Amino acid sequence: RCPRPALPVLRWLPRYSRAWLPLDLLAGLAVGLTTVPQALAYAELAGLPLQYGLYSSFMGCFVYCFLGTAKDLTLGPTAIMSLLVSSYAFHEPVYAVLLAFLSGCIQLAMGLLHLGFLLDFISCPVIKGFTSAASITISFNQIKNILGLQGIPRQFFLQVYETLRRIGETRAGDAVLGLTCLAVLAGLRAMKSHLPQAAPAESLAVRISYLIVWISATARNALVVLFAGLVAYSFQVMGSQPFRLTGSIPRGLPAFRPPRFSLAAPNGTVPFLSVVQDMGVGLAVVPLMGLLETIAIAKAFASQNGYRIDPDQELLALGIANVLGSFVSSYPITGSFGRTAVNAQSGVCTPAGGLVTGALVLLSLAYLTSLFYYIPKAALAAVIISAVVPMFDAGIFRTLWRVKRLDLVPLCVTFLLCFWEVQYGIVAGVLVSGILLLYSIARPPMKVSEGAVLLVQPGSSLHFPAVEHLRDSVCSRALAASPPRSVILDCCHISSIDYTVVVGLAELLQELRRHGLSLAFCGLKDPVLQVLLSADLEGFQHFPSCEEAEQCGGAELGGSGAEPFTGTAEST
């Protein structure tokens, strides 16, 4: 067999079919019409000039075409990543671009070192708590633009207070336009979800009607922004302007240059180390959340469409996209669920659809930025709210209550603390999940059966935090019995042990021998048996099965002077 090409593009390009080309073109165009208005809206959410949203939207498309392994996935700015950038870049473009570079380097290193398994320690309740809280905070963050308010602070609780206090200052034009855009977006979303598939046997008129409705629903963000811009332009021509507009956006493509590693300030220069210190925990949160979003989305769509992805290759693709993106003034990007869904529903066949999306963004930067002046901020706010509302999963609370109530603890901790600061919520949720995980390791379930001997069966592998619990449980039950009984330790669920466990088992053997009792092992797997034999434990006895151990238990296991077993047991 021929070796698999190292470069993912070489796995599909040599067998590219002409039949795939129109589908890839259509999907790339549909995603591009979604990307451009969302890019402007997400830059507003990140607290950056709007052109940075477009700067962040094309490099990921080009890089992923060559290095990605999921045909549906699209990389670019997202609501979650924009919220994090707002928290750690302090609305300063230099910080945002440098954060993209450093995040890309971290992601690239993780891919090269195969460290993607670290993402497995972020549990589903933590992710759900974060995304649900982010949905609320991002939505409320845009209420000020829907109402036309200015000077609202960034912190969530202050936002709520100031918005409610100043609600009387609402601009009627912005409020009416924003609510109208929200209603139209919700209607088009519902229309698309209930749109029946047009059968090939239908008449041409029916199929054309279906195509028109599908395109309108798919490109709903672009249509709403275009409609709002035309309304705003009409008012401008008539000499009045009831809306707050986006304003001027620099025309042209960004210069290709490395990110700046220092920041010019009025009283001097902020050096690189100070910038890194300012970013703080963001240098861990941003790359990890970027990886988490990308891998989760890629796995979801790969499973749905029947193909497999390479997680380490996905890390490399995202890392390289962020590093190269920082050279064109991009802020951190990641996988976008909404645009990936559009890509998949459009019938994309290969990652080549990203080339069309990237080209459309570049054309917008080169020729259309003057038209973006008339886009009302209320319309962009409606686009953001429409994108993030589905992220709130109210059903997860009911599901966890029914499945495992203890998982509600990290969910609620993450959810509540994210309203204070995003990083505190994520870190606290991971810590709580870690504590629950460590507790289950330190206190494995023990099944105890009483008979002629005491049969103890740990429910999982033994690691050093659990050895004291095992000793206390065995000794207390064995000595409390009347008369005291010897012990058989059923190790059928134990696949590995460490040195601390070996020391604890040696002490347990000695303690039982002092009381005239014995301890035997049964069901040991080969790796565990080899470790115990190498430790040369005094009085160590092993039976292949618990039945044989119980048969020998009454006669030979009970006394301290038992003869060594042969054939059915091993002793040292």
Side-chain angles (χ1 to χ4, degrees), residues 348-429:
V348 71
C349 297
T350 68
L355 297 177
V356 181
T357 301
L360 193 61
V361 175
L362 290 177
L363 288 173
S364 300
L365 274 168
Y367 301 108
L368 301 180
T369 51
S370 59
L371 302 179
F372 297 156
Y373 177 93
Y374 297 101
I375 298 176
K377 289 191 173 184
L380 294 180
V383 169
I384 293 177
I385 294 173
S386 175
V388 300
V389 163
M391 288 166 35
F392 181 79
D393 187 359
I396 189 64
F397 295 90
R398 183 174 61 255
T399 301
L400 291 183
W401 179 265
R402 191 172 60 249
V403 175
K404 188 177 181 182
R405 296 178 184 179
L406 196 60
D407 282 341
L408 284 169
V409 177
L411 173 72
C412 293
V413 167
T414 306
F415 180 75
L416 294 175
L417 286 182
C418 277
F419 290 117
W420 179 22
E421 287 290 347
V422 171
Q423 64 269 29
Y424 298 151
I426 295 173
V427 171

Side-chain angles (χ1 to χ4, degrees), residues 189 213 222 281 416:
R189 177 190 290 274
V213 173
V281 72
L416 294 175

Side-chain angles (χ1 to χ4, degrees), residues 473-487:
S473 298
V474 169
C475 287
S476 61
R477 296 294 294 268
L479 300 178
S482 180
R485 296 187 177 105
S486 293
V487 180

Side-chain angles (χ1 to χ4, degrees), residues 126-422:
V126 173
I127 298 170
K128 289 291 186 179
F130 166 63
T131 54
S132 296
S135 172
I136 296 174
T137 55
I138 291 171
S139 297
F140 204 89
N141 181 268
Q142 296 305 307
I143 294 296
K144 65 180 186 290
N145 289 327
I146 292 286
L147 301 180
L149 302 178
Q150 293 180 287
I152 302 296
R154 186 183 65 85
Q155 210 281 332
F156 177 74
F157 297 109
L158 294 177
Q159 270 185 13
V160 175
Y161 173 76
E162 282 294 315
T163 301
L164 294 177
R165 187 178 70 84
R166 296 173 51 190
I167 200 164
E169 303 173 20
T170 299
R171 293 167 57 102
D174 284 313
V176 171
L177 180 66
L179 294 174
T180 301
C181 290
L182 276 175
V184 172
L185 287 169
L188 290 174
R189 177 190 290 274
M191 183 187 301
K192 184 176 182 181
S193 63
H194 293 90
L195 186 65
Q197 185 71 38
E202 298 282 359
S203 65
L204 181 61
V206 171
R207 282 183 288 162
I208 291 176
S209 301
Y210 170 85
L211 184 61
I212 292 173
V213 173
W214 182 86
I215 291 175
S216 301
T218 301
R220 57 185 178 273
N221 291 328
L223 290 178
V224 164
V225 168
L226 178 62
F227 164 77
L230 290 175
V231 172
Y233 180 75
S234 301
F235 276 103
Q236 188 82 6
V237 170
M238 291 187 295
S240 64
Q241 189 53 264
F243 312 123
R244 289 179 56 226
L245 303 181
T246 295
S248 299
I249 297 177
R251 181 178 177 179
L253 306 181
F256 189 84
R257 61 190 178 195
R260 291 163 55 188
F261 290 88
S262 61
L263 177 66
N267 55 350
T269 301
V270 180
F272 173 71
L273 289 179
S274 296
V275 174
V276 171
Q277 289 174 355
D278 290 341
M279 293 177 184
V281 72
L283 288 175
V285 173
V286 170
L288 284 178
M289 290 308 299
L291 292 175
L292 193 64
E293 276 196 279
T294 301
I295 298 297
I297 294 169
K299 282 185 176 179
F301 281 87
S303 174
Q304 180 180 340
N305 293 295
Y307 61 89
R308 298 183 64 185
I309 65 163
D310 182 346
D312 289 325
Q313 183 62 48
E314 293 296 306
L315 300 189
L316 292 174
L318 181 61
I320 292 174
N322 272 314
V323 169
L324 292 180
S326 68
F327 281 71
V328 290
S329 302
S330 165
Y331 67 82
I333 62 173
T334 183
S336 165
F337 186 87
R339 295 193 293 276
T340 299
V342 170
N343 208 23
Q345 292 165 5
S346 303
V348 71
C349 297
T350 68
L355 297 177
V356 181
T357 301
L360 193 61
V361 175
L362 290 177
L363 288 173
S364 300
L365 274 168
Y367 301 108
L368 301 180
T369 51
S370 59
L371 302 179
F372 297 156
Y373 177 93
Y374 297 101
I375 298 176
K377 289 191 173 184
L380 294 180
V383 169
I384 293 177
I385 294 173
S386 175
V388 300
V389 163
M391 288 166 35
F392 181 79
D393 187 359
I396 189 64
F397 295 90
R398 183 174 61 255
T399 301
L400 291 183
W401 179 265
R402 191 172 60 249
V403 175
K404 188 177 181 182
R405 296 178 184 179
L406 196 60
D407 282 341
L408 284 169
V409 177
L411 173 72
C412 293
V413 167
T414 306
F415 180 75
L416 294 175
L417 286 182
C418 277
F419 290 117
W420 179 22
E421 287 290 347
V422 171

